[in-house]
């Protein structure tokens, strides 16, 4: 069981149970515009459609109407300076259809982060300008004196 | 999920280890919306699928502070049931992290605290190792065997040795003609190949020995007072007494006993 090695299934034997599945799944943005009830996943190539359905239904309690999946080849690129070829691993792309009445919208994560980052940068800029104002205030009566001169 | 969080909440308090946070969406789902005036929750919020994403507070932060991964000693004192539950928590956490990383990479944003993936992975490896230990102990007690996948060293088609991992087959190999055609071998050709191959290995070893001997000779030429024991330990297959007397080993020094 835990050795990740399963006996061959013979008809009439009890069904094999997976106690510690080690498949991963990624929920990703669809490449092209899709209807609202379609969700795109990236999974390992070993996973079958049945596996994907069971995985979502049993672990995530998501109702699945249908699964369509295909293996996609990883990107093949050329290394910029040495010129050798780099291949990214293959993956399985699964398109899940939710049952009627259910929809899913991919959340906007990065835009919120951008907003937050802008705020932080603004905070730093404000702090810097304030400290410079303080410095100018201190050296009002002695222009041209370097910052390290006074205590 | 709530039951699960309760079980793991206790564990988290006791050991202060990295138990991933349960998504906010599942907790929010408990609140009833009976009031008709209150608009129904947005259709886009799919509870199950939102578990693939981090908690909303972590979307905007630049760093997510987490604890360390689970150690084997901690996992050994847990019951099988707890380990089983923890496995699924870790599995979901890994999926969540991979999803977030993919999304951030696509948007050219830095992924917050990527070491979380390694920590979860380490925990999962440790957990599986602990489960395996238990499995082995159980099988040894019940059957006298470890219950691991059997394996042995075998000779392949071209006469090379490799570690063969056994698996179950419907047909035994001697009755499997298809398999024999594919993986059986011509013994005479294999013998020829092995002869040449062994010769190549033997020549390689011989060349290495000669190389070492010449190197030792040059060493003697430069440093006549070498520590011979250390030299012999470094190059065990070189005959030092013989090399010392060669012309190439004599340096441009004054003779000792003039």
């Amino acid at each position: 069981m835990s050795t990740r090695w399963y006996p061959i299934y013979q008809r009439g034997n009890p069904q094999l149970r997976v106690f510690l599945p080690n498949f991963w799944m990624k929920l990703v943005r669809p490449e092209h515009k899709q209807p609202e009830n379609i969700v795109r996943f990236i999974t390992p190539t070993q996973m079958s459609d049945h596996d994907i359905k069971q995985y979502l239904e049993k672990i995530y309690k998501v109702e699945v109407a249908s699964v369509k999946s295909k293996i996609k080849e990883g990107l093949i690129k050329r290394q910029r300076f040495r010129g050798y070829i780099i291949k990214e691993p293959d993956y399985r792309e699964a398109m899940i259809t939710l049952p009627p009445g259910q929809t899913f919208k991919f959340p906007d994560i990065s835009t919120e982060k951008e907003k937050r980052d802008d705020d932080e940068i603004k905070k730093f800029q404000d702090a810097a300008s304030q400290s410079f104002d303080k410095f100018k205030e201190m050296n009002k009566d002695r222009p041209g004196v370097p910052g390290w001169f006074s205590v | 999920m709530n039951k699960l969080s309760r079980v793991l909440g206790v564990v988290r308090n006791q050991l202060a280890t990295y138990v991933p946070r349960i998504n906010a969406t599942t907790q929010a789902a408990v609140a009833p919306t009976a009031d008709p005036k209150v608009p129904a929750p947005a259709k886009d919020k799919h509870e199950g699928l939102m578990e693939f994403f981090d908690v909303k507070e972590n979307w905007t932060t630049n760093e997510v502070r987490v604890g360390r991964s689970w150690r084997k000693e901690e996992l050994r004192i847990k019951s099988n049931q707890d380990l089983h539950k923890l496995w699924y928590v870790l599995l979901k956490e890994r999926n969540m992290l991979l999803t977030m990383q993919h999304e951030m990479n696509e948007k050219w944003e830095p992924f917050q605290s990527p070491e979380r993936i390694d920590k979860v992975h380490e925990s999962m490896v440790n957990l599986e190792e602990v489960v395996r230990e238990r499995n082995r102990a159980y099988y040894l007690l019940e059957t006298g065997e470890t219950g691991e996948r059997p394996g042995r060293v075998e000779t392949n088609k071209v006469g090379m040795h490799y570690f063969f991992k056994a698996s179950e087959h419907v047909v035994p190999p001697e009755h499997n003609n298809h398999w024999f055609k594919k993986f059986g071998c011509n013994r005479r050709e294999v013998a020829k190949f092995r002869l040449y191959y062994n010769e190549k290995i033997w020549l390689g070893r011989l060349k290495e020995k000669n190389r070492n001997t010449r190197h030792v000779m040059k060493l003697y030429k430069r440093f006549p007072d070498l520590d011979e024991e250390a030299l012999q330990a470094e190059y065990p297959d070189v005959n030092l007494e013989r090399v010392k007397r060669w012309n190439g080993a004599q340096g441009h020094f004054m003779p000792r006993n003039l």
Side-chain angles (χ1 to χ4, degrees):
Chain A
M1 184 270 287
S2 64
T3 54
R4 301 230 171 277
W5 169 67
Y6 299 96
I8 196 168
Y9 180 72
Q10 301 277 9
R11 224 168 157 197
N13 281 0
Q15 280 288 339
L16 299 176
R17 305 276 171 204
V18 182
F19 289 102
L20 303 177
N22 57 352
F23 284 133
W24 52 264
M25 268 179 104
K26 280 196 254 184
L27 203 167
V28 295
R29 230 175 252 279
E31 277 178 23
H32 308 290
K33 208 178 174 191
Q34 297 286 347
E36 280 184 333
N37 60 342
I38 281 187
V39 193
R40 180 177 174 233
F41 284 93
I42 286 180
T43 66
T45 47
Q46 292 88 346
M47 241 173 154
S48 65
D49 286 6
H50 187 70
D51 283 337
I52 292 167
K53 196 175 178 192
Q54 291 286 315
Y55 195 95
L56 285 174
E57 282 181 351
K58 297 276 163 64
I59 301 178
Y60 282 93
K61 312 281 184 250
V62 174
E63 289 171 42
V64 176
S66 83
V67 182
K68 272 184 188 174
S69 75
K70 59 186 170 188
I71 293 180
K72 280 200 155 187
E73 199 177 12
L75 264 182
I76 298 176
K77 305 182 277 191
R78 196 171 274 282
Q79 208 270 351
R80 198 175 288 175
F81 304 112
R82 307 272 171 87
Y84 51 82
I85 282 172
I86 300 167
K87 185 178 180 299
E88 286 174 2
D90 295 347
Y91 59 90
R92 184 181 283 276
E93 184 198 55
M95 298 304 257
I96 309 289
T97 314
L98 299 173
Q102 290 190 23
T103 54
F104 174 74
K105 197 188 164 203
F106 201 92
D108 260 343
I109 296 165
S110 54
T111 47
E112 289 197 22
K113 184 147 190 306
E114 265 173 26
K115 229 185 277 168
R116 172 68 183 248
D117 281 351
D118 285 352
D119 289 350
E120 282 203 353
I121 288 167
K122 211 174 178 188
K123 219 185 282 171
F124 279 123
Q125 282 172 346
D126 284 351
S129 65
Q130 270 178 21
S131 70
F132 185 63
D133 285 345
K134 210 174 165 188
F135 174 74
K136 274 202 293 189
E137 188 74 20
M138 256 169 63
N139 294 2
K140 211 195 287 173
D141 48 346
R142 39 177 191 178
V145 172
W148 49 264
F149 185 74
S150 62
V151 181
Chain B
M1 201 66 207
N2 284 329
K3 202 186 282 177
L4 213 156
S5 69
R6 239 181 286 140
V7 169
L8 289 159
V10 176
V11 176
R12 175 161 56 183
N13 293 341
Q14 278 175 357
L15 295 165
T17 46
Y18 175 26
V19 174
R21 296 172 65 178
I22 310 301
N23 271 6
T25 46
T26 46
Q27 286 158 6
V30 179
T33 49
D35 192 6
K37 280 177 191 171
V38 177
K43 269 187 178 180
D44 317 330
K45 293 263 174 187
H46 199 291
E47 283 168 31
L49 291 175
M50 284 310 281
E51 279 184 52
F52 276 96
F53 299 96
D54 210 345
V55 211
K56 203 165 181 184
E57 300 106 56
N58 290 347
W59 289 4
T60 50
T61 49
N62 288 327
E63 193 196 0
V64 182
R65 290 171 65 86
V66 290
R68 59 170 168 75
S69 52
W70 284 82
R71 289 180 184 151
K72 274 183 201 163
E73 307 91 72
E74 292 159 4
L75 293 168
R76 279 195 190 108
I77 54 177
K78 297 265 165 273
S79 69
N80 284 341
Q81 220 172 4
D82 280 354
L83 288 187
H84 196 224
K85 283 170 184 169
L86 180 60
W87 177 264
Y88 284 96
V89 172
L90 291 170
L91 194 77
K92 278 187 176 181
E93 181 73 6
R94 185 177 62 175
N95 284 348
M96 184 276 283
L97 292 172
L98 289 176
T99 302
M100 294 297 280
Q101 192 186 32
H102 189 96
E103 172 64 12
M104 287 302 177
N105 282 353
E106 270 198 351
K107 295 286 173 190
W108 294 89
E109 289 276 343
F111 174 51
Q112 312 98 317
S113 309
E115 77 276 0
R116 284 182 289 168
I117 294 178
D118 299 334
K119 282 176 180 174
V120 170
H121 179 250
E122 201 180 321
S123 307
M124 286 174 93
V125 167
N126 285 346
L127 200 155
E128 196 172 332
E129 188 55 41
V130 169
V131 172
R132 214 161 154 167
E133 272 172 18
R134 289 181 189 180
N135 204 37
R136 234 177 282 145
Y138 173 79
Y139 267 85
L140 278 173
L141 203 65
E142 293 285 325
T143 65
E145 289 169 3
T146 50
E148 298 276 338
R149 184 173 187 174
R152 57 184 176 273
V153 177
E154 280 215 343
T155 316
N156 69 359
K157 204 175 171 182
V158 285
M160 315 278 271
H161 301 300
Y162 72 107
F163 188 78
F164 172 73
K165 282 183 190 167
S167 57
E168 285 190 356
H169 291 275
V170 183
V171 188
E174 57 269 23
H175 294 297
N176 197 343
N177 282 334
H178 171 74
W179 177 84
F180 189 78
K181 269 177 201 162
K182 209 173 172 189
F183 296 105
C185 58
N186 183 341
R187 301 229 169 146
R188 195 177 288 172
E189 283 177 5
V190 168
K192 202 175 166 187
F193 166 75
R194 289 297 297 181
L195 188 72
Y196 287 139
Y197 185 69
N198 287 344
E199 187 188 353
K200 198 182 167 189
I201 292 171
W202 182 75
L203 279 176
R205 281 191 200 137
L206 187 70
K207 277 177 188 168
E208 194 191 358
K209 195 186 164 190
N210 289 345
R211 201 162 50 234
N212 285 345
T213 312
R214 264 180 276 122
H215 182 61
V216 168
M217 187 183 80
K218 292 286 181 191
L219 283 179
Y220 265 121
K221 188 173 182 174
R222 276 179 289 163
F223 314 105
D225 303 326
L226 265 177
D227 180 9
E228 292 198 354
E229 275 183 14
L231 196 67
Q232 190 71 71
E234 183 82 28
Y235 304 104
D237 49 353
V238 177
N239 188 351
L240 292 187
E241 287 304 316
R242 194 161 144 260
V243 175
K244 231 193 297 186
R245 279 188 268 110
W246 287 357
N247 270 348
Q250 313 306 323
H252 302 292
F253 302 108
M254 292 282 275
R256 281 275 171 81
N257 308 316
L258 239 176

